Structures are given as structure tokens and as C-alpha cells.
Amino acid sequence: MATTELGAALRHWRDRVPPQAVGLPTGGRRRAAGLRREELSQLASISADYIIRLEQGRAANPSPQVVEALARALRLTQDERAHFFHLAGLAVPGPGTIPRHITPGIHRMLDRLTGTPVAVFDAAWTQLLANPLYTALMGEWQGNDLNAVWRNFVNPHSRVRDTPESKGALQAAHVADLRRTAGRYPDDPDLTSLIAELRRTSARFNDLWESGAVSEHPAARKTIDHPQVGALTLDCDVLSVAASDLRIMIYTAQPGTEDADRLALLDVIGTQLLAE
């Protein structure tokens, strides 16, 4: 039983989210229409035990990162998210920090793109949300690798087929875009830490950072070497959400092509592999 106002609110928000609304199966007997703690744990990448302790009042001071992750998974409105921060004894992130909230409207839009690989990134290119087909296509990331800039400079493992020229161009675009983001959000500690760590870890990143260029990430056509369905050449478009600087990355195939057939096959077998 919840013993704090935070715990009661968290339980209420969990109970009102039907599993089908977040792409989870609805089979089997369920005691409530909402999310199980284990399902919320999966969606937010937070341990189910910690969620239990929050709901029961045995943990009362979640970090801002935990609050943000739970707010996204529970599809809270801006006002509910602000209330969640207040209950956790935290200040709502100010205008000098990167927005990381995904509104219910954006969630509903993504729900309608079930046959399309889609992911949502914040202004620093940290992945906030990916639908099952995107994860099946690109792989599942954890920790620092959730940030696309980090992966581009530090992690050599990628399914995207790159030439030295295309990789260099993407790296330059990422750095220029990240510098633009740093100018817009000078008070964001996670962004400051990311840039400092990249400058320490990657000489290439540091050289590009020193160059001073500023730009936005462009659209592209990419070939992904997938271990189950083979190579897919897809259009990669990045949409920006006004007032939040969220980036929605969408992969699409030209209709009637082998790439479209392989993407449809991946929609069947790839999401099954993730479920296993």
C-alpha cells in the first residue's frame, strides 16, 4: 500500500495506463487495467524493486533522471510532470536545461506509426524512446551508448554502413549540432558532462569541437546491415518538435522495393526476437 503522496500518485498514474497504449501485450489474467510494476520497469529502464519502494514510501527521493524516465513511461502531461518533480522534492528543470519530456500528443502520434521505425531523441541526441521496430532495426542501447554522438565517436559497433567520408560528415554534423545545443542550454549538467567526456575520450571530437562550426543534423539515406534480414537502404528523416527541441528520427523504405519487403519482414521477426 502506498504510504506517501508520491507513492500514491505513482500508483494512480500506473493504474491508468493500459498496456496496449504502450505497445505491450494484453493477454493473460490481470488484476488491474493499468501497467504492472514489471512493465513500468521495462518501459522506464528502472528496477521494479525501486518502483515498489517508491510506491510504498520506502524510497522518497528519486533523482531527476528517474523522475524524467517515469514521467515519459507514464505519459504524464506537463502539469503532472511538474507535480511529480514537486512530490520528489526536486525543482522542475528550468529553461537553461534540455527538455526531455515527451507529451501525450507525441506519444499518440508515435502509436500510429507501428509499422515504421521511429525513435525520439533530446537536443543532445540522447535516445528517450524507441518503438519496437526501431530497436529491432538498429539494436538496443544502454548507458552512454543511448547517446548517438557518443556512439558515433566512441562505439565502433554500428549496423549503419559507412564510408570514411560519410562517417566524417556525420561526425562533423553531430559536433556542430551539439555546439548549437550547448549554446541554447548552458545550464544543463548532463550536456556539460557529455561534452567534457567526449573531449577527453575522442581526439577527433575535440578537434571538431575546437573548429567552432554550428549546424543541424541533416536528413540522409542510409544502408543498415541487419543480422537477420540483410541490407536495407532506407531514408532517414529527422523531424523537430517546436518548443521542445525533441528530434523524431524516422526510417522509411520506398514502396514496392526489396528494402520495403525486408522492413516488413523485420516488423514480424525482429519484434518477435526482442520479445524472446
Side-chain angles (χ1 to χ4, degrees), residues 14-31:
R14 181 168 62 83
D15 283 346
R16 77 178 185 184
V17 181
Q20 62 269 24
V22 293
L24 293 173
T26 58
R29 299 183 63 181
R30 304 180 68 94
R31 291 189 298 174

Side-chain angles (χ1 to χ4, degrees), residues 83-103:
H83 184 53
F84 195 178
F85 271 92
H86 173 73
L87 293 176
L90 299 168
V92 179
T97 59
I98 292 175
R100 295 182 173 91
H101 179 61
I102 300 175
T103 65

Side-chain angles (χ1 to χ4, degrees), residues 131-144:
N131 69 1
L133 186 52
Y134 182 96
T135 303
L137 176 68
M138 303 303 292
E140 190 166 11
W141 303 105
Q142 302 290 336
N144 286 342

Side-chain angles (χ1 to χ4, degrees), residues 3 15 19 24 42-43 48 57 72 79 88 91 95 107 116-117 121 156 158 168 192 209 212 240 274:
T3 57
D15 283 346
L24 293 173
Q42 175 186 346
L43 291 168
R72 286 194 296 270
D79 287 343
H107 277 293
T116 303
F121 296 80
S158 173
T192 300
W209 186 263
S240 296
L274 288 174

Side-chain angles (χ1 to χ4, degrees), residues 146-218:
L146 282 168
N147 184 268
V149 184
W150 179 270
R151 291 201 310 272
N152 195 11
F153 284 92
V154 179
N155 190 335
H157 305 293
S158 173
R159 293 178 180 176
V160 178
R161 188 184 300 174
D162 275 318
T163 65
E165 292 76 18
S166 65
K167 186 172 182 63
L170 179 58
Q171 287 180 333
H174 266 155
V175 174
D177 191 19
L178 200 62
R179 185 183 295 101
R180 171 181 170 272
T181 296
R184 290 175 63 93
Y185 303 104
D187 301 327
D188 192 286
D190 292 335
L191 175 60
T192 300
S193 176
L194 171 66
I195 293 169
E197 189 63 24
L198 280 166
R199 296 188 71 177
R200 284 193 298 267
T201 305
S202 171
R204 166 73 173 162
F205 178 91
N206 189 61
D207 289 344
L208 287 169
W209 186 263
E210 294 289 345
S211 71
V214 177
S215 71
E216 296 184 1
H217 188 283

